Amino acid sequence: MKVLITGGTGYIGSHTAVELIQAGYEIEILDNLFNSKETVLDKIKEITGIRPVFHEVDLLDYQKTSEVLARGFDMVIHFAGLKAVAESVEKPLWYYENNIEGTLNLLKAMKKTGCNSLIFSSSATVYGDQGVTRLDESMETGKGITNPYGQTKFMIEQILQDACVADQDLSVVLLRYFNPVGAHPSGLIGEEPKGIPNNLMPIVMKVATGEIPALSVYGDDYPTPDGTCIRDYIHVVDLARGHLAAMEHMQKGCTVYNLGTGKGTSVLEMIKAFEDASGKTLPYQIAPRRAGDLPELIAVPDKAEKELGWKATLTIDDAMRDTLKFLGR
């Protein structure tokens, strides 16, 4: 099977590329390198022995996207897209154009070249504010989404569901991620965003290396045991393996799965886990709450275990160990 990975030099995309190569799949990567580096391809080769064919293409360029798809693929795993929540609030039109138009171009190119299988990198943000802690796939989506990034994920899910209704040959899996952390156990690839990071662990890494003086903990007065927000943090290797499981259980139409651990960890617990793993104190300061942050969000991952045979097996301690290996590479 030949698979195209859009956004394949990014954080989750590169780890998924490794898992697919090691499972014997032929892959090629399409990426515009906006938030990643081409040197990741050399790291993938160092881990797997294979350097994937690479296409430096932006999905907003329909002609070039079509030319890549014309090389013939059995499946596309679609990671490419802008993903910074705060930035999406500041630049909503850019997010809507990039994420939605890019996906539409990809779908049209797939249709044109006869590729009928797609796995989409979605997000737990599509659930919005459900008023509950634990989220499962049966819940209604789209209400209470607090930022344009989340809206683009929701809208793309709707587009893909409609496309499956219209095209009986199309197979789509929507994977709703919770909070990816960690790095490859080799220490060769990990999360390395350009500019100011938005997620917790890249900021922790920059504080640990002295690039940022202290970590801001946004709110310590939430109704949680230690007052800080609780999230479902999933090791990126487990997440990547979820894509492999989804590939191997594709079916006609559109299906959806949560990818999470089913366990919650607070921000202060994450800080302590990093300190325990590194043996160093991580400076942090309490800051005001951020708009839109919910106290506690945890996946119900039972459907993926039942239907895909997939379950997260790596721990927060594993994630901290691998993050430190990546920091020390």
Side-chain angles (χ1 to χ4, degrees), residues 189-251:
I189 55 175
E191 190 166 13
E192 202 167 16
K194 294 179 180 177
I196 299 173
N198 287 267
N199 299 333
L200 175 62
M201 282 309 298
I203 299 174
V204 166
M205 291 159 65
K206 287 187 178 292
V207 173
T209 58
E211 295 177 61
I212 297 176
L215 172 72
S216 292
V217 176
Y218 296 103
D220 65 349
D221 58 350
Y222 285 96
T224 60
D226 64 19
T228 63
C229 288
I230 290 174
R231 293 293 182 266
D232 187 334
Y233 294 97
I234 177 171
H235 197 297
V236 66
V237 172
D238 273 333
L239 193 59
R241 290 171 181 164
H243 295 76
L244 183 60
M247 282 178 57
E248 294 175 345
H249 293 81
M250 289 290 286
Q251 52 188 294

